[in-house]
């Protein structure tokens, strides 16, 4: 009898919890949503988040506020969201570092347990750039030079563990070459030194480097997308240049704290998808070279798992350590 009573109590409690979650989702959102951007104001993620917040406001009818919580390659802001109430009102607007940080660093949270993926919102490829006066006219030239003189070629990144570094490390792995990493405290100083010829190459974010390429202040050797960029029709993809199946994208996506009800996650995803369908939002994103995605929570989760596996393999093969 006790066992039966306990089972009935458990079932009732579960039913009550389900009803509460449904009620919570049916009125969601009923107040301001806060997008936590774990990077500095004025950067690529911040610019995208502020455009995105406009679309979310228009769709949801509620204010969407962007807060910057920069530091530790995005882990400070992410940690704040991991500790937030799981009600859908504190949302992490993170970038590629979400999948790179756990591969390279010890974190104060568990990305797989402490977060629920909502949607991959946008993507942007990188452009492999060199100085206008560089002797490299093609990616093949760069690879040939790196093989002829191992470790003579340098490459820039906007910080240790950044996607710019990992794209170069993936190229090293796939092409069988060596290059020396020169990390900078941000993309702007890295770009300046590449333009001046102080560093050999740089996998630059297309949103920040495209203007420099089209005005001949940087030379593009290849793009990391699966297809050529419409803005650079004469620049081949890395895969076209001989590195099979090579594709790397910077991305931004939304996450909520672990334990957020499924119904709330679904409602937030629907808001994201509707925001990305607005012509005014897609036009603003396109000006930054950003492509809308709007994947479902399940699709985003699968993407994150694939990224985790890929970068772990690269880190292990190239013996990368940030300790």
């Amino acid at each position: 009898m006790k066992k039966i009573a306990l089972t009935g109590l458990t079932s009732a409690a579960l039913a009550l919890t389900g009803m509460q979650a449904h009620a919570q989702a049916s009125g969601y959102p009923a107040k301001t949503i806060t997008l936590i951007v774990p990077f500095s104001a004025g950067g690529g993620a911040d610019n995208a988040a502020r455009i995105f917040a406009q679309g979310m406001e228009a769709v949801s009818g509620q204010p969407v506020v962007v807060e910057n919580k920069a530091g530790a390659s995005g882990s400070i802001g992410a940690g704040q969201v991991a500790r937030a109430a799981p009600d859908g009102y504190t949302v992490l607007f993170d970038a590629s570092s979400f999948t790179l940080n756990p591969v390279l660093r010890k974190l104060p949270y568990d990305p797989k347990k402490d977060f629920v993926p909502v949607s991959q919102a946008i993507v942007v490829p990188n452009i492999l750039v060199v100085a206008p006066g560089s002797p490299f006219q093609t990616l093949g030239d760069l690879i040939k030079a790196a093989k002829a003189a191992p470790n003579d070629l340098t490459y820039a990144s906007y910080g240790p563990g950044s996607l710019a570094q990992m794209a170069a490390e993936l190229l090293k792995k796939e092409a069988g070459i060596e290059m020396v990493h020169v990390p900078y405290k941000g993309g702007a100083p890295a770009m300046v030194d590449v333009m001046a010829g102080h560093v050999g190459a740089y996998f630059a974010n297309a949103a920040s480097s495209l203007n420099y390429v089209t005005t001949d202040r940087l030379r593009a050797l290849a793009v990391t997308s699966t297809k050529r960029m419409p803005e650079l029709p004469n620049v081949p993809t890395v895969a076209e240049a001989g590195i099979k199946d090579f594709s790397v994208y910077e991305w931004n996506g939304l996450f909520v704290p672990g334990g957020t009800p499924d119904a709330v996650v679904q409602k937030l995803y629907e808001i994201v998808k509707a925001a990305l369908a607005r012509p005014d939002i897609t036009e603003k994103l396109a000006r930054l070279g950003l492509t809308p995605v709007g994947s479902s929570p399940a699709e985003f989760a699968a993407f994150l798992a694939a990224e985790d596996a890929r970068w772990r393999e690269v880190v292990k093969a190239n013996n990368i350590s940030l300790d």
Side-chain angles (χ1 to χ4, degrees), residues 66-174:
V66 175
E67 288 188 9
N68 299 93
K69 299 291 181 180
S73 298
S75 61
I76 290 178
Q80 177 176 324
V81 176
R83 298 186 297 271
D87 55 10
Y89 290 101
T90 303
V91 181
L92 178 65
F93 191 86
D94 213 337
S96 310
S97 57
F98 186 88
T99 50
L100 295 176
N101 277 334
V103 176
L104 297 164
R105 299 176 171 88
K106 292 182 179 179
L107 299 172
Y109 53 84
D110 186 332
K112 295 180 181 179
K113 294 180 180 180
D114 294 337
F115 295 94
V116 177
V118 177
S119 180
Q120 184 183 27
I122 50 183
V123 295
V124 60
N126 286 41
I127 305 174
L128 177 58
V129 296
V130 296
S134 170
F136 309 135
Q137 300 292 329
T138 66
L139 176 57
D141 292 341
L142 184 149
I143 292 173
K144 184 178 179 180
K147 288 184 175 181
N151 289 318
D152 278 5
L153 179 63
T154 56
Y155 75 88
S157 83
Y158 53 84
S162 63
L163 193 70
Q165 178 192 3
M166 300 306 288
E169 293 294 330
L170 180 60
L171 177 65
K172 284 171 54 178
K173 174 179 175 292
E174 298 300 323

Side-chain angles (χ1 to χ4, degrees), residues 173-230:
K173 174 179 175 292
E174 298 300 323
I177 59 175
E178 294 295 331
M179 298 187 292
V180 177
H181 180 210
V182 182
Y184 288 80
K185 294 182 179 179
M191 202 101 68
V192 169
D193 271 11
V194 174
M195 282 190 282
H198 299 317
V199 187
Y202 177 36
F203 276 97
N205 183 302
S208 60
S209 62
L210 183 60
N211 181 57
Y212 293 97
V213 173
T214 56
T215 55
D216 297 324
R217 287 176 284 177
L218 285 169
R219 178 186 299 153
L221 303 185
V223 295
T224 63
S225 46
T226 55
K227 297 180 180 179
R228 295 191 183 196
M229 293 180 62

Side-chain angles (χ1 to χ4, degrees), residues 12-88:
L14 289 173
L16 178 61
T17 300
M19 291 171 62
Q20 290 172 336
H22 178 74
Q24 183 180 6
S26 64
Y28 176 86
K31 61 180 182 179
T32 299
I33 297 173
T34 300
L35 283 185
I36 300 295
V37 178
F39 306 101
S40 301
D46 178 66
N47 291 336
R50 293 182 186 279
I51 294 172
F52 198 70
Q54 296 172 15
M56 290 181 66
E57 280 190 354
V59 171
S60 68
Q62 294 292 341
V64 179
V65 177
V66 175
E67 288 188 9
N68 299 93
K69 299 291 181 180
S73 298
S75 61
I76 290 178
Q80 177 176 324
V81 176
R83 298 186 297 271
D87 55 10

